Amino acid sequence: AAAHGRPPASPAPSLRAAGSQLPCFHGSSTIRNLKERFHMNMTEEQLQLLIEQLVDGSMRSITTKLYDGFQYLTNGIM
């Protein structure tokens, strides 16, 4: 979206409208948690740094290596 010069749309309003009958969308915490999960308050630069940190952490994680090994053994995925 940023490459096209427009900010990404927040999923929260459409989820609130579509899910208004669903009990999981009642209360303000669900929408707030979704906004936090999608990091809607961060700039492009902050998001880039966060993603780099997440990828770096995953690459050094023993659980990632174990899961990759499991995927390779069970599904041939590397």
Side-chain angles (χ1 to χ4, degrees):
H4 299 287
R6 59 191 161 115
S10 171
S14 58
L15 288 173
R16 184 180 302 146
S20 62
Q21 301 304 317
L22 298 172
C24 62
F25 286 103
H26 288 269
S28 61
S29 65
T30 301
I31 301 302
R32 185 179 64 248
N33 290 342
L34 281 172
K35 286 181 178 180
E36 288 175 10
R37 177 175 277 184
F38 286 113
H39 305 288
M40 300 301 291
N41 60 336
M42 289 187 169
T43 66
E44 192 76 22
E45 292 79 20
Q46 290 171 325
L47 282 171
Q48 185 173 353
L49 181 61
L50 174 64
I51 291 168
E52 289 172 1
Q53 291 171 344
L54 290 171
V55 169
D56 187 51
S58 293
M59 289 175 58
R60 291 189 276 141
S61 170
I62 185 66
T63 55
T64 299
K65 290 176 181 30
L66 291 170
Y67 186 73
D68 287 347
F70 170 79
Q71 286 293 337
Y72 178 73
L73 290 174
T74 59
N75 300 317
I77 299 172
M78 186 64 153

